[in-house]
Amino acid sequence: MKREPINPDTLYGSVQYGFSHAVKSRGTTTIHCAGQVAWDKDYNVVGAGDIGAQARQAFANLKTVLAAAGAGVADVVCMRTYVVNHKPEYLEPVGAAIAEFYGAVTPAANTWIGVQSLALPEFLIEIEVTAEID
């Protein structure tokens, strides 16, 4: 799979905020991951009331799903981040979790969406990704 982050020099620097402006990919298999929340295997909410902890759990769940599909973080081409009652102070803890998720990989395109609520009132964040592999 060819994954090429697109970050034109004529636009603002987005990588420092955890996303690329676009990703060009030429894969043969597309993996659409359902939005992941802060549930563990036993339906316990990890990090109740803590958006950073919930983001880290959602990303851990995404890594598990990606691995089961034969993909990894480097195969992610698009991310959508849904945040309940978004506030500017959420940028730092969620941004840190995004940075941990990608590690040394240049981040994919990401859209951050403030929402009123998610499936359960305990969920503060839900993250979904699309990945492509050969």
Side-chain angles (χ1 to χ4, degrees):
M1 196 272 308
K2 299 287 185 185
R3 176 188 181 273
E4 180 185 344
I6 307 296
N7 292 296
D9 291 338
T10 56
L11 290 177
Y12 62 92
S14 62
V15 172
Q16 65 184 335
Y17 299 110
F19 70 97
S20 289
H21 287 285
V23 173
K24 183 173 23 173
S25 63
R26 290 181 293 279
T28 57
T29 301
T30 301
I31 302 159
H32 300 276
C33 296
Q36 294 295 312
V37 294
W39 261 349
D40 66 11
K41 183 179 178 186
D42 299 317
Y43 304 98
N44 297 307
V45 174
V46 175
D50 181 337
I51 194 160
Q54 287 199 17
R56 287 190 301 278
Q57 181 64 40
F59 282 124
N61 293 347
L62 280 168
K63 283 184 176 181
T64 299
V65 172
L66 288 168
V73 172
D75 301 308
V76 172
V77 296
C78 188
M79 177 184 291
R80 285 145 314 274
T81 306
Y82 303 94
V83 177
V84 175
N85 299 323
H86 170 67
K87 302 176 213 175
E89 53 266 27
Y90 288 166
L91 292 169
E92 192 280 323
V94 175
I98 290 171
E100 288 175 29
F101 175 72
Y102 283 113
V105 174
T106 301
N110 184 9
T111 299
W112 184 303
I113 305 154
V115 296
Q116 183 176 350
S117 63
L118 293 168
L120 294 176
E122 297 85 9
F123 299 148
L124 302 177
I125 189 166
E126 183 168 337
I127 306 161
E128 63 179 293
V129 300
T130 303
E132 289 192 1
I133 56 176
D134 288 331

